[in-house]
Amino acid sequence: MSQTGYGAVMTSRFNGEQYLANIFKLIELARTFEMDGSRGLKNFVVRLKAMIAREPGEARADISGGDEDVVRIMTIHQSKGLEFPVVIIADIASSIKSQTGKITFHPEDGLGLQHYDLASGKWYAGPIFRNGAERAKSEQTQELKRLLYVAMTRARDRLVLSGAAKRKGVWQNWIDQTIEEAGLSDKVAVFQKPAIQDMSSSSVGAPPLVDRLLAGYRPDTAVPGKPVALSPGIPSMQISVTSLASFSLCPRLYYYRHVMEAPMLDHAKAFSFPDDDEQSRRETGIRAHEVLEQTQIGEGAPEDALKDAVNEKFMDFSRKTKGDVLKNLTTAFGKPPLSALRLVAPGAIMREVSLVHKIVEKEMELIIHGTADIIWFDGTEWNLVDYKYSTRPVDERAYLFQLKLYARALMTAHRMELLNTAVVYLKEKKDSVSTMRFLPIDAPDLRGQVVNMTRRLLKLEKKPECEWPMRERKSCDEYECFFRSRCYES
């Protein structure tokens, strides 16, 4: 959907948010159907037809937020994308529904059967059946873990977990194990058999325990009859380095790319795909990154490793494109800083490194995440390089800002005193490298810049397109922005 821009088109229509939510609900229905073991498109279509014919009909997807002063009861799938001050998850002690039956099917293993032995009168499972059953159980376990994560992360301020005390299901076992491993036993409120109000003699309303929990009561620490005040939760925002860099360059660009998820394709060339068009250039860049991610580099690497990788990844491209890509990559790795990798042991080189940095302010919690292209230690200093399969842009502020965020996250995580960083423009023939030495003294200024930018972003959230600021037309043309035709009429 993100590649075709379907979501952006739907949201631009009247009542488009509801239409788009219905599509996501359909996807979740399909996912649930697959989990139940009733695989197959034909069976799913039959189920949909039955739902359409049934009265009352299937409800529309819920598009309301979690701030209304009401109690909402919903499935975990329905809660995706929503957030609530208080979340109660019931029946965490329930056990996994066993997959009974004499037949299993897995896309990789095929059809597995149990066979009946006439002599003994017993059913015996064949090797394919056993393997398929184990795979199905493993997949179901992983899906249950994902569901538990979704359910627990819907809570903004308080999370209440409820289940039978006499038995423990997989969810409760996972939760107990996590609490124990993290040493959080003294931080969790556990209570059993709370007093139940006699509803026959009381006025209609919530049970007293609910009111006390909402008021800040904690059964593990509170003195009976004396509620404990808890500090209210602060909003938490997760954002990628790329998204924040887009916003630093142009808020309207951020809106198109990360809110509307509009495709980065020139509409005038939407139905033309020669080697030099926008779509092909993006695909070339993606594959070039895959080559650099997977090719053996460092001390002892084969001389033809890069050439072999390019030929494999660009098998369906023209000879000219393959030749240009190989020439660009060979040139980039033939001069600093990437040329230094020839003398670095492979074990000291890390590629596609996931980085996370957390910033906490009084009014918000910001979690920035991203992936750095390559990091290595040369025996003396650490080095970080982010490469772009492009020429040097007129305005490279967004790329340098992105590089600083990576550096900040890496230095904080590993307590570094110095980090050499660079952006390498793989298609640039002359001045192809922008270098920067990042020191701890640079961190406060970057933090302040990020916090102010995030505050500005939060103010713009849920605003219409016209209220997102945009750059001057000249800057858009210099940057060759894909969306300049949307901001300015040709």
Side-chain angles (χ1 to χ4, degrees):
M1 289 177 65
S2 61
Q3 292 177 351
T4 61
Y6 181 80
V9 173
M10 294 303 294
T11 52
S12 65
R13 297 176 56 187
F14 174 73
N15 207 22
E17 186 179 2
Q18 180 66 67
Y19 293 141
L20 190 60
N22 291 341
I23 293 294
F24 284 119
K25 181 175 181 179
L26 176 63
I27 293 172
E28 290 303 323
L29 287 173
R31 197 192 312 277
T32 304
F33 187 77
E34 187 79 6
M35 282 180 57
D36 291 340
S38 306
R39 296 183 174 94
L41 177 61
K42 181 179 178 181
N43 291 334
F44 182 59
V45 172
V46 171
R47 172 74 65 86
L48 290 178
K49 289 181 177 179
M51 293 171 65
I52 293 172
R54 187 174 58 209
E55 294 292 342
E58 181 70 17
R60 290 185 176 187
D62 191 346
I63 61 173
S64 62
D67 295 328
E68 297 91 344
D69 188 17
V70 295
V71 175
R72 307 186 64 83
I73 300 176
M74 62 181 66
T75 65
I76 296 173
H77 289 293
Q78 290 172 335
S79 72
K80 286 186 176 180
L82 302 178
E83 190 180 62
F84 304 91
V86 179
V87 169
I88 300 175
I89 305 175
D91 203 18
I92 62 170
S94 61
S95 57
I96 296 179
K97 179 183 178 183
S98 60
Q99 297 288 344
T100 58
K102 309 301 181 186
I103 300 174
T104 63
F105 177 78
H106 193 275
E108 296 180 10
D109 296 333
L111 189 67
L113 304 172
Q114 290 190 36
H115 66 274
Y116 183 74
D117 183 60
L118 293 175
S120 62
K122 296 181 179 179
W123 288 91
Y124 292 92
I128 297 179
F129 178 91
R130 289 195 298 270
N131 194 38
E134 290 175 0
R135 281 178 174 268
K137 184 177 180 180
S138 176
E139 291 173 359
Q140 186 181 26
T141 299
Q142 294 303 317
E143 180 63 21
L144 284 171
K145 287 183 177 180
R146 286 190 288 270
L147 280 176
L148 178 61
Y149 173 81
V150 170
M152 296 180 71
T153 52
R154 298 311 92 198
R156 186 170 64 228
D157 300 329
R158 294 179 179 85
L159 174 65
V160 179
L161 304 173
S162 173
K166 292 185 179 180
R167 69 174 191 271
K168 288 193 175 183
V170 289
W171 277 11
Q172 189 165 348
N173 286 330
W174 291 335
I175 294 168
D176 292 344
Q177 182 180 356
T178 302
I179 291 173
E180 183 178 354
E181 291 177 353
L184 298 174
S185 300
D186 59 332
K187 306 293 184 182
V188 180
V190 179
F191 57 98
Q192 299 179 5
K193 296 183 179 179
I196 301 176
Q197 182 182 9
D198 183 4
M199 299 303 291
S200 61
S201 60
S202 65
S203 58
V204 177
L209 181 61
V210 174
D211 290 332
R212 294 171 69 190
L213 285 170
L214 295 178
Y217 170 70
R218 288 181 56 182
D220 59 332
T221 60
V223 177
K226 190 175 182 180
V228 176
L230 294 180
S231 58
I234 58 175
S236 179
M237 181 179 184
Q238 296 190 30
I239 190 169
S240 69
V241 170
T242 306
S243 301
L244 207 54
S246 295
F247 187 82
S248 71
L249 185 66
C250 174
R252 185 71 68 90
L253 174 64
Y254 172 90
Y255 175 80
Y256 289 140
R257 290 190 61 182
H258 305 288
V259 178
M260 291 187 67
E261 296 184 350
M264 292 186 65
L265 180 65
D266 189 338
H267 295 284
K269 304 176 182 177
F271 299 99
S272 174
F273 297 98
D275 267 5
D276 60 347
D277 79 344
E278 309 288 358
Q279 180 78 1
S280 181
R281 278 190 287 174
R282 288 194 68 215
E283 181 63 24
T284 302
I286 292 171
R287 296 199 191 187
H289 269 76
E290 291 177 353
V291 168
L292 297 178
E293 178 186 347
Q294 300 169 15
T295 304
Q296 184 179 348
I297 57 176
E299 188 178 18
E303 291 185 5
D304 293 334
L306 202 57
K307 180 180 179 181
D308 294 340
V310 170
N311 287 332
E312 180 183 349
K313 285 293 180 183
F314 290 85
M315 186 181 301
D316 54 337
F317 276 63
S318 68
R319 181 180 299 178
K320 180 181 182 303
T321 300
K322 285 191 284 189
D324 290 342
V325 171
L326 180 59
K327 181 179 179 181
N328 292 332
L329 299 186
T330 303
T331 301
F333 276 79
K335 55 186 178 182
L338 294 177
S339 60
L341 288 166
R342 296 173 183 171
L343 303 177
V344 179
I349 302 172
M350 298 176 287
R351 288 179 282 186
E352 297 298 310
V353 182
S354 297
L355 298 171
V356 179
H357 184 57
K358 184 176 180 180
I359 297 176
V360 179
E361 291 288 307
K362 291 182 178 180
E363 76 279 15
M364 69 173 176
E365 176 184 86
L366 177 63
I367 299 174
I368 307 170
H369 58 87
T371 304
D373 286 330
I374 187 166
I375 300 169
W376 73 90
F377 184 67
D378 60 13
T380 305
E381 297 177 337
W382 283 95
N383 303 269
L384 183 153
V385 169
D386 196 40
Y387 27 72
K388 309 293 181 184
Y389 195 76
S390 67
T391 56
R392 177 186 291 274
V394 175
D395 186 349
E396 61 174 345
R397 285 179 299 172
Y399 290 155
L400 296 179
F401 179 70
Q402 188 174 340
L403 192 64
K404 290 179 181 179
L405 291 176
Y406 288 143
R408 167 69 170 162
L410 185 63
M411 293 185 71
T412 301
H414 297 279
R415 298 181 180 178
M416 297 178 180
E417 294 298 325
L418 171 67
L419 180 64
N420 298 316
T421 66
V423 180
V424 177
Y425 301 100
L426 298 171
K427 294 177 68 176
E428 183 63 46
K429 301 185 183 302
K430 296 181 180 180
D431 188 14
S432 61
V433 181
S434 292
T435 60
M436 179 172 53
R437 289 169 71 87
F438 201 84
L439 300 168
I441 196 174
D442 301 319
D445 290 341
L446 178 62
R447 177 190 172 102
Q449 186 179 357
V450 170
V451 170
N452 291 333
M453 194 179 299
T454 306
R455 286 171 178 158
R456 187 182 176 201
L457 175 57
L458 290 172
K459 290 180 180 179
L460 287 170
E461 273 195 335
K462 298 183 180 180
K463 297 286 186 180
E465 176 182 342
C466 60
E467 294 190 29
W468 288 74
M470 57 187 181
R471 302 180 69 177
E472 296 179 355
R473 175 63 185 264
K474 181 181 178 181
S475 298
C476 297
D477 291 337
E478 290 176 347
Y479 182 69
E480 295 185 347
C481 178
F482 291 97
F483 305 110
R484 59 185 181 273
S485 60
R486 298 181 66 113
C487 299
Y488 300 97
E489 295 182 3
S490 302

